[in-house]
Amino acid sequence: MATGTPPCVVSSHTMPLTLFLLISLSLSQSQQFVIPYKAPSNCSQEQFFDISSLSCVSCGQNQRQSPTGLKCICQNGYQTLTTDKMSITCQQCPNDKPAVTQDSFGCILCPGSLTEEGQCQCPAGNVLVERDVNGNLLDEARCEACNGKSPALSVPNSDRSRCERCHASFINTSCMCPSPNILAGGLCLPPGSLSTNINPNVNFAQLKFSVLSAWFLENLYSSSASCLVFSNLTACQALGNMCVMNMHSFSGTSTDACGIFNIIFRSKAALSSTQDISYWRSTLPWLYYGDEPGLASRVLQTDPVPVRFSLRGGKKNTEIKMIAAVYNVRGEFLRWESVGRSNLQICPTPKTEQAAAFSFGTSYQENCVLSVEELLRTNPEPIFYDVFMDLGGDDKRKLLPLPTLVKNQQYNGRFINQGGTFILLSMCVCTCVSMFYAQLFYTESIKNWYLSRRIFLIDTLSGREKIISSRPKVIRVASSIQIKFQLVPRTQEGQVFPPLIVVTYTDVPVTDNKVQTLSISFTVEYEMDQNEAQIKTDTALGVMGGVAVLYSLLKTISWKRRIASPVIDAATLIKFLLFYAGDLANVFFVITVGTGLYWLIFYKAQQFVSVLLPLPVQEERFVTYIGCAFALKAVQFLHKLILQVTVDIFLIDWERPRNKGSRIVQGETKREISTVSIWRTYFVANEWNELQTIRKISPTFQIMAVLFFLEVLGFSNLALRDPWTTLIRSPDAYTPPYSLILRYGLAATLWICIGLLQVFFFTVLYEHFVEDKIRQFVDLCSISNISVLLLSYRCYGYYIHGRSVHGHADANMEEMNSNLKREAESMCGQRGLLPNTELQTFHVSLTNHLRLQYDRIRDSLIRNNRPSRLADSSAVSLCETHFKAYHTMNNFLGSVIDHAYPDMDYIVKDKLMFERVMGMEFLEPSEKSIFYNDEAHSFTDLLFYGNEATLLIFDTLFFCVVDLGSQSFVLAAVLTYIQQTIFGFLRSILGRRNLVNKTLVDKRFLI
């Protein structure tokens, strides 16, 4: 296709071949191209705006800028002479014919006055006739109507305002195009200039068929020939547009739009390049980076953009300035247009939200569904954009061309830019054995990419068959546009590589356009090289995972000693895996929380951009770590729960019957012996039952406090994928998507911090100044004259020495107060197991012999332990054998504590520091049992109270996993509360049942 004016390219464009080679050699060392910004308004009256090179080019001698600014014309009083098909010369008119003809190619005498442009002027309603019916120039112009029927060399223009000369391609002897010349698109082309065997089909690869395009059929050959033969700038742009509509796709032998474009591109290799860019040939649009794939890495990852982005401070710079050269489908330059004014964003989003897409660091995502009918109505022809990044510079404004990656592009029949797929080989074996996780492999190689230039948004033209005015058979829409910024590795000054525009087009067959819809998306993403961070994470995981294996082995060895079993069997392996599950869960938890906190602090607090968040697809591995941590922690939690509700427990009653006095019965003196009350045992058992589910925090307050910070104070906004730390945001402002890493890091950190503050408050302040239920329970045991033996493993457990220093606890109020007063005034012995000591709590490591004896007595208790029946509402009966077995166990354990059995004796000692740190005992109780002094009340390990760390981490992970799955902190809080309630209820019910079975306390007294 060609316009009705001759090309105006100054001959000074041609450069020697040697200089061209030197420039090409220098360009091969650096693949970043920066050009100055020029618009038609920037060109002087002696220059015109070259739409191909996007620069101002000087006009020739006696020439000036045209009114449009896009070409040169002769000055007033000068006629135009054609010297060749690529340039013009201007000659001054003689005095006897001072006026210049309308076509500027001749001089003439006017019948009247002259215009400011030095041309003849006719009265209103007349048409200036400067040539006769044969096309000969008159000696004097006449004002009359053009004679369209006359075989002249001029024809009326479209608005019938004047007669103008035929196109320059016809200039020979007439306006006819005789054979063997070829008439195409209003041009008379010489024979052999371009093969007529062209392919006007448009390939719609997604639909697997081609369309014989009416637009291509009418304009492809004429535009190609005019570009090749006459170097017509508009025709070259039109040819480039048709190549862009064909997805930049071509093969080595193709004769479609892109194939012909590349033929012309190679034919102009000897000519000068545009803007000193070897890929940008003279008179041609810039469509490709090179003539084959392989330059993407050099273009995208070689030189940073000479702009530094800063988020805060005096040098704050967050505005991304982009500008586009806009062309219509005919190749005409329309304007320079700032990107961000709904030009690349098809969705009808408010402008305030669209502007956020060009605020550096803000991950922008825009999605909508548009009807095909609306697309057809509002886009009759495609508009084309050459996008640049505005580097600023005031008077010396510079532009950086932005490369484009078209996903639909084919090279030699292959989708060259779709070679990569994400293959996620994740194998999280969260069983008792281990966890394996294979790395995320991204097979897409940047080396195979074929970068291009120029894009369009909606094409409803190329899919029209037969005639251009018909309804399109297919339309092609840019359904996905992504602008990707990549941070320069290890930068501390906010430098990025040239942004990449990734476009994915969707072919839509038009069947019922009133009901057809199409999903559209526009995103702006920021990424950095995550390999170093991933290596550090994997290293930490490997090192800490190895330590977890060793620690779990030590726990297993300690467990084997505590159950007095030297055999390594299947139970040993299962126990090791259970221990390892808990330790590995802690490893994953520490790594994930540390990673989330790192990104939260360093991303949100940075001034100059030095780190960027991982992309959502890169967060999948992190989410897998969180899932494994939760699954493993759940295994540990259930393991500890089962251990707590199956622990062996016995309450040793030290109370002995006392003489109440003597009385004479039938002449004989008889002593009355009081019975031992069971209420003290019931009281202690009831208190232990209440202690089973107490915690060092208030779960309800924990949930409410976390929700208050996240939802009320707006801390949740810190998890958005932008670098701003604003907690309260305007409802009209754009809200970017959440980062899963930031969301997890924020929620987990808040939960842990609030939990730790609660633990500090309850353990340091509340328990010291208000109430300490654990110490109160130990005191209660002493006052009640009851000791507690707890065996968590077969030969290992805990002992609370509750023997009263007063010898008895069944006393009235006066006697009890007297005893407490004597104890307060140190007028009696101390409560400790050993003389003159206060220590009442111990770790116990029993001999196998003692445990066997314990089991024999316990077996009789279990056999005789049946649910008690009431004869009435107040009486409780136990069978005689059951009663004897209970007293046998009570007397046996009391005798062991009193050293009554030499073969089952024990010693009391302190644990070594390494024993406390490693959680195991170095000595095995072969001959004597060992009681280890315990000032930390470690028997709470059998309660929720002593496992607060496990519970806190489990609740944190549960809350975060639910939130990551639902993206709702409120739902996560509700489900966490339900989970806590359910497990608390189960622990209470099962613990109560175990207490009833092991201590023989009737469950009806546990209130």
Side-chain angles (χ1 to χ4, degrees):
M1 184 191 73
T3 59
T5 57
C8 303
V9 181
V10 180
S11 60
S12 59
H13 282 186
T14 306
M15 302 180 65
L17 180 59
T18 304
L19 181 59
F20 171 79
L21 294 176
L22 290 175
I23 294 175
S24 300
L25 180 61
S26 64
L27 287 174
S28 64
Q29 299 176 358
S30 175
Q31 293 301 314
Q32 185 179 104
F33 309 105
V34 177
I35 67 170
Y37 170 84
K38 293 293 182 181
S41 59
N42 299 126
C43 300
S44 66
Q45 288 299 317
E46 291 74 28
Q47 295 176 321
F48 77 101
F49 184 78
D50 188 344
I51 64 174
S52 175
S53 62
L54 302 178
S55 62
C56 295
V57 179
S58 297
C59 294
Q61 187 177 6
N62 300 323
Q63 298 176 13
R64 64 179 175 86
Q65 186 186 85
S66 70
T68 62
L70 302 181
K71 66 178 181 178
C72 288
I73 60 176
C74 290
Q75 295 181 358
N76 296 344
Y78 286 78
Q79 66 175 340
T80 302
L81 300 179
T82 303
T83 58
D84 56 48
K85 298 183 184 300
M86 293 184 62
S87 62
I88 64 172
T89 59
C90 298
Q91 178 179 316
Q92 189 173 10
C93 291
N95 294 332
D96 58 343
K97 294 182 179 181
V100 181
T101 59
Q102 295 292 317
D103 56 13
S104 75
F105 282 88
C107 298
I108 196 170
L109 179 64
C110 292
S113 60
L114 301 180
T115 64
E116 294 180 356
E117 291 78 18
Q119 297 176 336
C120 295
Q121 185 175 13
C122 288
N126 291 335
V127 175
L128 180 65
V129 177
E130 297 171 333
R131 299 177 183 275
D132 60 17
V133 292
N134 297 319
N136 299 316
L137 186 64
L138 303 175
D139 292 333
E140 182 177 0
R142 301 195 306 267
C143 292
E144 60 183 30
C146 291
N147 188 358
K149 297 181 180 179
S150 178
L153 292 177
S154 60
V155 294
N157 66 341
S158 59
D159 58 1
R160 306 292 180 178
S161 62
R162 61 186 175 88
C163 296
E164 61 181 14
R165 191 170 65 97
C166 296
H167 190 269
S169 63
F170 290 88
I171 299 301
N172 190 359
T173 59
S174 68
C175 282
M176 302 297 292
C177 189
S179 179
N181 294 327
I182 301 173
L183 180 63
L187 301 176
C188 185
L189 304 174
S193 58
L194 181 67
S195 172
T196 57
N197 183 25
I198 62 171
N199 181 11
N201 290 297
V202 177
N203 182 28
F204 295 95
Q206 293 179 353
L207 304 177
K208 298 181 180 180
F209 64 77
S210 298
V211 171
L212 181 59
S213 172
W215 178 262
F216 280 47
L217 189 62
E218 179 177 330
N219 298 292
L220 178 57
Y221 183 83
S222 59
S223 297
S224 303
S226 183
C227 178
L228 177 62
V229 178
F230 304 111
S231 296
N232 185 284
L233 302 182
T234 306
C236 291
Q237 297 294 328
L239 173 62
N241 291 341
M242 284 184 273
C243 178
V244 174
M245 286 192 283
N246 226 349
M247 302 289 94
H248 294 84
S249 301
F250 72 96
S251 62
T253 59
S254 63
T255 58
D256 57 6
C258 292
I260 297 175
F261 177 88
N262 279 275
I263 292 174
I264 300 176
F265 178 85
R266 289 190 292 269
S267 70
K268 294 181 179 290
L271 301 179
S272 62
S273 60
T274 300
Q275 299 282 7
D276 295 334
I277 299 174
S278 61
Y279 313 137
W280 198 350
R281 298 287 166 83
S282 177
T283 73
L284 292 176
W286 181 6
L287 295 188
Y288 297 96
Y289 282 82
D291 53 4
E292 61 182 13
L295 297 177
S297 59
R298 295 166 59 187
V299 174
L300 298 174
Q301 298 178 345
T302 300
D303 297 322
V305 175
V307 175
R308 289 168 171 81
F309 292 97
S310 175
L311 304 175
R312 296 168 183 84
K315 297 183 179 180
K316 180 179 179 180
N317 178 27
T318 59
E319 183 180 1
I320 301 172
K321 298 178 182 178
M322 292 186 182
I323 192 169
V326 185
Y327 299 83
N328 64 16
V329 70
R330 296 167 184 82
E332 298 169 343
F333 177 82
L334 300 180
R335 59 191 173 276
W336 282 105
E337 188 171 279
S338 295
V339 175
R341 299 177 180 176
S342 302
N343 37 25
L344 298 187
Q345 296 161 274
I346 305 177
C347 293
T349 308
K351 293 183 178 180
T352 55
E353 294 188 15
Q354 288 185 340
F358 301 95
S359 175
F360 188 84
T362 301
S363 294
Y364 185 86
Q365 186 171 351
E366 177 183 284
N367 298 283
C368 63
V369 177
L370 300 179
S371 67
V372 173
E373 182 181 19
E374 181 181 359
L375 295 176
L376 290 172
R377 177 174 52 83
T378 57
N379 299 275
E381 293 182 355
I383 299 296
F384 298 84
Y385 302 89
D386 285 348
V387 185
F388 299 84
M389 187 172 182
D390 191 348
L391 305 181
D394 298 328
D395 295 337
K396 297 182 179 179
R397 194 173 176 186
K398 300 293 183 181
L399 300 179
L400 175 68
L402 298 188
T404 301
L405 184 73
V406 179
K407 289 289 189 178
N408 308 70
Q409 181 178 351
Q410 294 185 69
Y411 180 75
N412 291 331
R414 184 168 62 93
F415 288 98
I416 191 68
N417 298 328
Q418 291 185 5
T421 54
F422 287 101
I423 302 176
L424 181 60
L425 300 177
S426 58
M427 199 168 47
C428 178
V429 186
C430 297
T431 59
C432 305
V433 182
S434 179
M435 193 284 304
F436 299 99
Y437 185 86
Q439 189 177 0
L440 176 68
F441 293 98
Y442 182 44
T443 64
E444 182 171 21
S445 175
I446 191 174
K447 297 180 181 179
N448 295 328
W449 286 355
Y450 198 178
L451 300 182
S452 58
R453 294 271 298 153
R454 187 166 293 189
I455 63 173
F456 67 90
L457 301 183
I458 302 170
D459 175 18
T460 62
L461 182 63
S462 64
R464 301 175 188 264
E465 295 181 306
K466 298 180 180 179
I467 58 175
I468 297 177
S469 59
S470 64
R471 192 182 77 163
K473 181 178 181 181
V474 185
I475 65 172
R476 180 170 273 162
V477 182
S479 58
S480 173
I481 297 180
Q482 295 175 296
I483 302 178
K484 294 186 175 184
F485 289 81
Q486 184 177 7
L487 193 68
V488 175
R490 297 184 179 86
T491 182
Q492 299 296 326
E493 299 179 346
Q495 289 186 294
V496 296
F497 288 120
L500 175 65
I501 302 177
V502 182
V503 184
T504 302
Y505 292 95
T506 299
D507 300 335
V508 182
V510 180
T511 54
D512 188 353
N513 56 295
K514 293 185 178 180
V515 298
Q516 285 182 282
T517 58
L518 181 65
S519 298
I520 307 293
S521 69
F522 177 86
T523 59
V524 180
E525 294 180 348
Y526 301 85
E527 60 181 324
M528 63 177 291
D529 187 3
Q530 300 290 341
N531 290 334
E532 183 177 353
Q534 191 59 59
I535 290 174
K536 292 181 179 179
T537 302
D538 292 341
T539 302
L541 181 61
V543 172
M544 297 177 68
V547 174
V549 171
L550 296 178
Y551 190 46
S552 300
L553 285 174
L554 290 177
K555 287 184 177 180
T556 306
I557 294 173
S558 175
W559 172 75
K560 292 296 289 184
R561 290 190 173 189
R562 291 175 177 179
I563 65 172
S565 172
V567 180
I568 299 178
D569 49 10
T572 305
L573 179 60
I574 293 175
K575 202 68 176 181
F576 165 75
L577 293 177
L578 290 174
F579 287 137
Y580 185 54
D583 295 333
L584 191 58
N586 294 334
V587 170
F588 276 115
F589 181 76
V590 171
I591 289 177
T592 53
V593 173
T595 301
L597 193 59
Y598 166 82
W599 288 112
L600 184 64
I601 294 175
F602 285 92
Y603 177 70
K604 290 290 185 177
Q606 60 185 335
Q607 179 177 349
F608 287 96
V609 181
S610 58
V611 294
L612 292 174
L613 291 173
L615 296 176
V617 70
Q618 294 172 323
E619 291 180 328
E620 292 180 1
R621 184 173 187 174
F622 181 81
V623 174
T624 303
Y625 285 165
I626 298 173
C628 289
F630 171 70
L632 293 169
K633 182 56 68 172
V635 171
Q636 182 192 27
F637 172 69
L638 293 176
H639 175 218
K640 290 196 172 187
L641 181 66
I642 294 173
L643 179 66
Q644 290 184 10
V645 299
T646 57
V647 63
D648 287 333
I649 179 172
F650 193 84
L651 306 180
I652 306 173
D653 191 354
W654 296 100
E655 195 73 16
R656 298 293 180 264
R658 290 191 296 170
N659 294 329
K660 297 174 60 176
S662 59
R663 61 178 180 171
I664 300 175
V665 178
Q666 296 180 354
E668 296 181 1
T669 302
K670 291 189 178 181
R671 295 182 176 273
E672 291 188 0
I673 300 176
S674 62
T675 58
V676 176
S677 173
I678 194 63
W679 288 107
R680 292 174 297 100
T681 302
Y682 285 170
F683 189 43
V684 171
N686 193 72
E687 287 300 312
W688 176 261
N689 184 56
E690 293 179 358
L691 288 179
Q692 292 189 95
T693 56
I694 68 166
R695 295 181 58 175
K696 296 180 182 179
I697 67 171
S698 170
T700 303
F701 175 82
Q702 175 81 12
I703 294 174
M704 298 303 296
V706 170
L707 275 184
F708 175 78
F709 278 97
L710 290 175
E711 297 294 342
V712 179
L713 297 185
F715 274 52
S716 60
N717 290 326
L718 294 176
L720 296 175
R721 299 184 68 89
D722 62 21
W724 318 122
T725 56
T726 307
L727 298 183
I728 305 299
R729 307 202 177 200
S730 171
D732 299 330
Y734 170 73
T735 302
Y738 284 99
S739 165
L740 297 184
I741 290 181
L742 294 185
R743 196 173 177 95
Y744 172 79
L746 176 67
T749 301
L750 267 179
W751 193 283
I752 292 297
C753 289
I754 295 175
L756 292 178
L757 287 176
Q758 283 203 82
V759 171
F760 174 82
F761 172 78
F762 278 102
T763 58
V764 177
L765 300 177
Y766 185 84
E767 291 182 354
H768 278 75
F769 300 104
V770 181
E771 181 184 28
D772 186 350
K773 294 185 178 181
I774 301 302
R775 294 183 182 276
Q776 287 178 353
F777 179 75
V778 176
D779 292 340
L780 176 65
C781 290
S782 295
I783 295 174
S784 303
N785 204 16
I786 300 290
S787 292
V788 182
L789 179 64
L790 303 157
L791 296 179
S792 54
Y793 300 118
R794 183 174 178 273
C795 295
Y796 183 85
Y798 307 93
Y799 174 67
I800 303 174
H801 186 64
R803 194 169 191 173
S804 175
V805 296
H806 309 290
H808 57 85
D810 280 341
N812 55 30
M813 181 182 297
E814 180 180 1
E815 187 177 3
M816 180 64 71
N817 288 334
S818 175
N819 290 341
L820 294 176
K821 183 176 180 181
R822 292 176 56 212
E823 189 172 358
E825 295 174 353
S826 301
M827 298 179 61
C828 59
Q830 296 179 331
R831 294 181 175 181
L833 175 62
L834 299 179
N836 301 320
T837 62
E838 288 285 350
L839 191 61
Q840 296 177 258
T841 54
F842 303 88
H843 296 266
V844 294
S845 183
L846 307 180
T847 62
N848 191 45
H849 178 58
L850 193 155
R851 177 65 196 203
L852 291 174
Q853 184 62 28
Y854 176 87
D855 289 340
R856 282 194 290 269
I857 302 175
R858 189 190 62 172
D859 290 343
S860 62
L861 281 173
I862 295 175
R863 287 194 302 268
N864 293 285
N865 187 18
R866 297 289 185 272
S868 58
R869 302 293 181 182
L870 292 178
D872 51 45
S873 61
S874 61
V876 178
S877 63
L878 294 174
C879 63
E880 184 176 352
T881 55
H882 188 176
F883 179 77
K884 289 182 178 180
Y886 168 79
H887 279 283
T888 301
M889 178 66 78
N890 190 75
N891 293 332
F892 169 71
L893 294 178
S895 300
V896 170
I897 300 299
D898 286 338
H899 302 276
Y901 300 106
D903 57 338
M904 290 181 286
D905 204 359
Y906 65 93
I907 60 174
V908 180
K909 58 174 297 185
D910 291 325
K911 270 192 175 184
L912 300 176
M913 181 185 67
F914 285 109
E915 289 180 316
R916 292 195 299 269
V917 172
M918 299 174 64
M920 65 178 296
E921 298 76 37
F922 295 159
L923 295 178
E924 293 189 35
S926 57
E927 297 181 357
K928 291 186 177 181
S929 300
I930 305 175
F931 281 37
Y932 294 99
N933 295 321
D934 176 29
E935 297 179 355
H937 294 165
S938 299
F939 66 88
T940 56
D941 289 346
L942 302 180
L943 308 171
F944 272 2
Y945 184 91
N947 293 274
E948 188 58 55
T950 301
L951 295 172
L952 188 61
I953 294 175
F954 177 74
D955 290 343
T956 304
L957 289 170
F958 185 91
F959 178 85
C960 292
V961 167
V962 174
D963 171 65
L964 293 180
S966 64
Q967 295 286 290
S968 172
F969 288 120
V970 175
L971 178 62
V974 171
L975 294 183
T976 302
Y977 176 78
I978 294 174
Q979 169 265 129
Q980 290 174 340
T981 303
I982 291 175
F983 281 111
F985 177 77
L986 289 176
R987 175 65 180 87
S988 178
I989 292 299
L990 297 177
R992 182 184 183 191
R993 179 180 299 176
N994 182 67
L995 184 64
V996 169
N997 293 334
K998 301 295 176 62
T999 62
L1000 307 181
V1001 173
D1002 196 288
K1003 63 181 180 181
R1004 286 165 292 188
F1005 294 98
L1006 300 178
I1007 57 177

